[in-house]
Amino acid sequence: MARHGDFRFGLLSLLFLSFFGVAFVPARAAVKTYQFDVQVKNVSRLCHAKPIVTVNGMYPGPTIYAREGDRVIVNVTNHAQYNMSIHWHGLKQFRNGWADGPAYITQCPIKTGNSYTYDFNITGQRGTLWWHAHIFWLRATVYGAIVIMPQNGTSFPFPQPHMEANIILGEWWNTDVEELVKEGDKLGLPPKMSDAHTINGKPGPLFPCSEKHTYALEVEQGKTYLLRIINAALNDELFFAIAGHEMTVVEIDSVYTKPFATQALLIGPGQTTNVLVRAYQLPGRYFMAARPFMDVPIPIDNKTVTAILQYKGIPNTVMPVLPQLPAPSDTEFALNYIAKLKSLNTPQFPALVPLKVDRRLFFTIGLGRNPCSTCQNGTKLAASLNNVTFVMPKVALLQSHYFNIKGVFQTDFPERPPTPFNYTGAPLTANLKTSSGTRLTKIAYNSTVEIILQDTNLLTVESHPFHLHGYNFFVVGTGLGNFNSSKDPANFNLVDPPERNTVGVPTGGWTAIRFRADNPGVWFLHCHLELHTSWGLKTALVVEDGKGVDQSVLPPPKDLPPC
């Protein structure tokens, strides 16, 4: 919860301004202060009890509430046995990468018994984002919502809902996730898949021992509700639907969209989607449900998680109705749904798409096998961008950039794949060794950048949700097969493309994103499938300082965790 100190701070500020005769009318930014205690707590799901890492003993963790323009201060104290860092997913952190959170990228982790204060402003953003642990696989249980309301006096560009609710989709393992990952690494294999998906930390009544572990949302007939849906799952894109109820999509990744109605939606790990739902059905109980989308034969946890939309006055004895979710391999639904997502692009909320491109990058996404003496088959699975498997440094990249510490990283990341090939042709199973290194891409301040993310059939094709820290970007194009630089740009949407912070690269296809590099610092670019990130499917962009006084990275805070 925000502390009462916020109010005292506000009062003192007002008195100060009145005393010095500074008069202005605009809505005043508030300071929202939170205390996050990272602690281990015993939690029971699916007839299994185990200790999990939590924030303030909550699973999911507490929601951060703020308004556009507010300053947010979160003091994180680590009482757990693991090192910890928290990422505020989708917040741009202008010039302030120190508050971004990915371990060994912008900070070294918070060690056991230590604290670090994340202090940041919310500038030009409103909507639904989320926060999560950004070290090891700890975001399996360490995550929560960020709800940013519009500035005072500003309304939503859609009908005002009667009520709002957060719907956070996650994953649950019956055993210790960190131990599973260590075991998988030792054998060179993927760790065991999750035992259930969850909605607000609960798997729902289709699972054993889960009657009391079911989230229910009570609604009144005729009223409209805003659902803030977050995919906090580690490794699965998910379909989501509500039996008997249409959803109207109005926002993705905290950017308003042209509204459209849909029976189901697709949401990748790291993404958020806001929908309006009108309770227009006969009063009853209706399942909200989610299950994975996977259009290649890779083993996944494909069981359906459920929660309940319950009309007021209806007893719990009434059996809920299940929605019709798309089939797990319904590529056609997925592509059609993604094609409907467009920026609002109004005078108040314009889509400022870069039309001229200064820098073009082409990144291939691949899986590979590298030698491993301890592994089961003598090799371990690896993932790469342009055949580079990223090696995490021992000193945070932003620190080494800011203080000019030599030998931590190189800025020679290849702008193109070293050897062009038929990226999405027949599966390639030979010569799968990748190169390794802490190699970054240097970007000039305020230049416009286009990145083509191309899936490949190295071992197998697969969909990849890519997240860029420090920025939103415009998804100007996407397609199946190999990107054709002479034909495909003619079909780019440069008018109202969706603006996001996380985008799905389709299975055996490509996605084109554009953004203006106006936020100096070191910004992580990685697949948001935790499995692939841990295998090295990541890199970072070094955006150089500009010449202006407000165009350089701010100095680090005094309590920045040491390496």
Side-chain angles (χ1 to χ4, degrees):
M1 292 292 291
R3 294 172 175 167
H4 297 301
D6 300 355
F7 175 74
R8 287 200 300 275
F9 179 91
L11 200 60
L12 286 169
S13 304
L14 207 58
L15 289 169
F16 176 87
L17 292 170
S18 307
F19 182 77
F20 284 94
V22 181
F24 63 93
V25 184
R28 201 175 36 78
V31 179
K32 300 289 170 62
T33 311
Y34 291 85
Q35 173 64 36
F36 274 23
D37 286 308
V38 178
Q39 53 198 208
V40 173
K41 183 185 178 184
N42 277 323
V43 169
S44 175
R45 296 286 185 274
L46 273 60
C47 320
H48 289 75
K50 68 169 187 175
I52 65 168
V53 183
T54 68
V55 167
N56 299 351
M58 298 166 67
Y59 168 61
T63 300
I64 296 277
Y65 290 99
R67 281 196 183 276
E68 180 183 346
D70 283 355
R71 178 183 175 192
V72 176
I73 299 171
V74 188
N75 184 64
V76 177
T77 303
N78 185 10
H79 304 282
Q81 73 270 37
Y82 300 103
N83 287 345
M84 177 55 64
S85 76
I86 304 282
H87 170 50
W88 316 92
H89 185 114
L91 281 169
K92 293 179 186 174
Q93 309 290 12
F94 283 112
R95 304 172 55 209
N96 186 26
W98 313 110
D100 191 42
Y104 299 106
I105 305 299
T106 59
Q107 68 167 91
C108 287
I110 308 162
K111 295 187 173 74
T112 305
N114 291 18
S115 298
Y116 177 49
T117 300
Y118 293 93
D119 185 343
F120 51 88
N121 297 317
I122 297 173
T123 308
Q125 292 183 273
R126 84 293 307 162
T128 305
L129 294 170
W130 66 299
W131 58 266
H132 59 84
H134 212 304
I135 182 167
F136 314 126
W137 283 43
L138 291 175
R139 73 179 175 92
T141 56
V142 180
Y143 59 83
I146 301 174
V147 173
I148 309 166
M149 298 302 289
Q151 287 177 326
N152 276 319
T154 308
S155 58
F156 296 129
F158 48 79
Q160 181 72 24
H162 168 66
M163 199 180 91
E164 301 180 8
N166 298 335
I167 304 289
I168 311 182
L169 310 173
E171 283 183 273
W172 170 266
W173 279 261
N174 285 332
T175 46
D176 185 312
V177 182
E178 292 305 313
E179 287 306 314
L180 282 174
V181 173
K182 275 185 206 157
E183 192 183 316
D185 285 348
K186 203 162 72 181
L187 297 172
L189 299 169
K192 180 177 164 288
M193 68 187 80
S194 57
D195 295 288
H197 288 90
T198 56
I199 294 177
N200 293 344
K202 298 172 178 180
L206 304 187
F207 287 91
C209 303
S210 296
E211 291 76 14
K212 66 176 183 179
H213 297 308
T214 301
Y215 172 73
L217 173 65
E218 186 177 85
V219 298
E220 292 182 53
Q221 194 178 27
K223 293 191 170 168
T224 299
Y225 296 80
L226 179 68
L227 303 188
R228 298 176 178 271
I229 305 166
I230 297 164
N231 186 350
L234 272 76
N235 292 310
D236 291 324
E237 293 183 276
L238 296 165
F239 290 125
F240 176 86
I242 307 171
H245 293 74
E246 204 170 55
M247 299 175 286
T248 301
V249 177
V250 291
E251 179 199 303
I252 52 171
D253 291 3
S254 82
V255 180
Y256 297 133
T257 60
K258 288 185 171 68
F260 68 92
T262 185
Q263 295 296 326
L265 58 85
L266 174 65
I267 184 166
Q271 293 183 332
T272 69
T273 303
N274 282 10
V275 297
L276 291 174
V277 177
R278 195 164 71 83
Y280 60 85
Q281 285 288 9
L282 282 172
R285 298 173 86 221
Y286 299 85
F287 271 133
M288 299 184 269
R291 75 171 172 214
F293 163 57
M294 175 55 78
D295 53 359
V296 287
I298 290 174
I300 49 163
D301 169 13
N302 62 4
K303 297 180 283 295
T304 301
V305 56
T306 53
I308 296 170
L309 187 83
Q310 182 155 341
Y311 281 69
K312 197 172 181 179
I314 297 297
N316 290 349
T317 50
V318 174
M319 193 60 195
V321 183
L322 266 170
Q324 269 200 308
L325 285 160
S329 59
D330 196 339
T331 307
E332 188 182 1
F333 176 90
L335 294 175
N336 286 342
Y337 173 80
I338 289 162
K340 291 175 192 165
L341 298 170
K342 296 185 190 311
S343 288
L344 200 54
N345 195 24
T346 60
Q348 191 180 0
F349 303 107
L352 304 173
V353 191
L355 302 180
K356 180 179 125 317
V357 176
D358 300 319
R359 189 83 180 275
R360 295 182 198 276
L361 303 169
F362 187 91
F363 292 170
T364 53
I365 303 159
L367 297 176
R369 287 188 184 279
N370 288 335
C372 170
S373 57
T374 64
C375 295
Q376 194 170 291
N377 303 316
T379 61
K380 64 178 178 184
L381 287 161
S384 65
L385 284 169
N386 283 353
N387 206 48
V388 178
T389 296
F390 190 80
V391 175
M392 290 297 269
K394 300 282 191 290
V395 177
L397 297 176
L398 181 59
Q399 277 172 281
S400 48
H401 167 62
Y402 185 85
F403 292 110
N404 200 21
I405 302 168
K406 303 294 183 200
V408 178
F409 66 85
Q410 293 81 43
T411 52
D412 64 347
F413 188 86
E415 299 196 5
R416 301 258 173 296
T419 312
F421 59 98
N422 180 4
Y423 306 117
T424 55
L428 295 164
T429 53
N431 304 321
L432 292 173
K433 192 171 184 298
T434 69
S435 66
S436 299
T438 311
R439 301 169 68 184
L440 279 55
T441 303
K442 194 179 273 192
I443 307 281
Y445 178 80
N446 211 35
S447 60
T448 52
V449 182
E450 178 181 280
I451 304 178
I452 308 296
L453 294 162
Q454 172 74 60
D455 187 31
T456 68
N457 207 353
L458 289 160
L459 282 180
T460 179
V461 287
E462 194 175 340
S463 174
H464 299 272
F466 260 80
H467 173 45
L468 175 60
H469 291 225
Y471 288 90
N472 280 356
F473 48 73
F474 291 97
V475 186
V476 294
T478 192
L480 296 179
N482 298 339
F483 175 73
N484 185 321
S485 58
S486 57
K487 291 181 182 171
D488 289 324
N491 299 316
F492 281 0
N493 177 359
L494 302 177
V495 178
D496 58 357
E499 185 183 340
R500 314 205 68 141
N501 61 58
T502 306
V503 66
V505 179
T507 302
W510 57 270
T511 291
I513 65 171
R514 285 187 185 181
F515 62 96
R516 179 174 293 280
D518 56 2
N519 190 8
V522 179
W523 303 107
F524 210 17
L525 172 67
H526 64 101
C527 179
H528 222 275
L529 301 177
E530 202 57 44
L531 183 62
H532 291 171
T533 299
S534 59
W535 285 349
L537 192 46
K538 50 197 173 188
T539 184
L541 308 179
V542 182
V543 178
E544 297 179 286
D545 287 347
K547 293 193 169 71
V549 287
D550 59 351
Q551 295 176 351
S552 57
V553 177
L554 293 166
K558 289 189 170 57
D559 65 338
L560 188 72
C563 293

